[in-house]
Amino acid sequence: MRKAISLLMAFALGTGLAFADNDGLYVGGSVGYTSLEDVEGTFSYEDNPVGWKLIGGYKFTNFLAVEGAYANLGEASDNVLGLGDVNAEFSGFSATALGIIPLTVVDVFGKFGYYSGDLEVSALGVTGDESDSGVTAGAGVMFNLIPTLSFRGDIDWYDTDFDTLWSANVGLTFSF
């Protein structure tokens, strides 16, 4: 019995390490839920839009990767103070470094980097566009379905000058 348990554990650990060893180039995409609140905290958008993100990266080791992304976080809309709808849409590019903790068929990661994006706001028939750049950070998990395909869930935070911006995303990545 003890021998059977030892063999089973060795097989499970070996399989997990085989799945985790997918270093190299990867690409992916995800859809996400966005939360947008103005900096002063006077209001948050009732409408939390669905956005999308395309990613590409390079995994140097089981513990370190770099990643670039383009995200369009959707258009949030809210009626502010009864004056009419205020619409806001954020999109931009990011570059991040990922620290990864590989666990059998699941990898947990944290990321930190830089983004450059645009916020377009329209209200009462007037539209304005503002560019911003700064720090982005996040965390997530990757479930390695097969050696080249992973299901991924992550949360991104953007330190913007104009709003507090978060997105929660789910998607797939493909490793080469």
Side-chain angles (χ1 to χ4, degrees):
M1 179 71 166
R2 192 176 278 182
K3 198 178 235 183
I5 291 173
S6 296
L7 284 172
L8 183 60
M9 289 184 69
F11 175 76
L13 183 60
T15 303
L17 291 175
F19 276 127
D21 192 20
N22 55 355
D23 299 345
L25 186 65
Y26 64 91
V27 295
S30 61
V31 294
Y33 167 88
T34 303
S35 174
L36 184 65
E37 182 178 300
D38 74 321
V39 172
E40 290 81 29
T42 55
F43 73 94
S44 63
Y45 290 87
E46 291 291 326
D47 178 21
N48 292 315
V50 173
W52 54 272
K53 178 171 63 170
L54 297 175
I55 61 172
Y58 191 84
K59 191 172 179 185
F60 295 101
T61 70
N62 286 341
F63 306 101
L64 179 65
V66 292
E67 186 170 280
Y70 174 78
N72 181 317
L73 301 182
E75 183 175 331
S77 181
D78 200 359
N79 189 315
V80 179
L81 303 174
L83 299 174
D85 284 342
V86 175
N87 301 311
E89 182 175 358
F90 180 83
S91 61
F93 293 92
S94 65
T96 56
L98 279 70
I100 304 165
I101 302 171
L103 308 169
T104 59
V105 296
V106 177
D107 294 344
V108 178
F109 65 89
K111 57 185 174 175
F112 185 79
Y114 180 81
Y115 79 91
S116 178
D118 292 313
L119 178 70
E120 183 178 297
V121 178
S122 60
L124 303 172
V126 178
T127 300
D129 190 16
E130 186 173 341
S131 295
D132 191 24
S133 59
V135 172
T136 183
V141 295
M142 290 181 285
F143 296 94
N144 302 306
L145 303 173
I146 59 174
T148 58
L149 184 66
S150 297
F151 175 79
R152 174 180 168 140
D154 63 10
I155 296 175
D156 296 324
W157 168 77
Y158 301 88
D159 183 22
T160 67
D161 290 338
F162 34 78
D163 290 299
T164 300
L165 184 59
W166 291 88
S167 69
N169 314 286
V170 293
L172 296 171
T173 59
F174 181 78
S175 301
F176 297 96

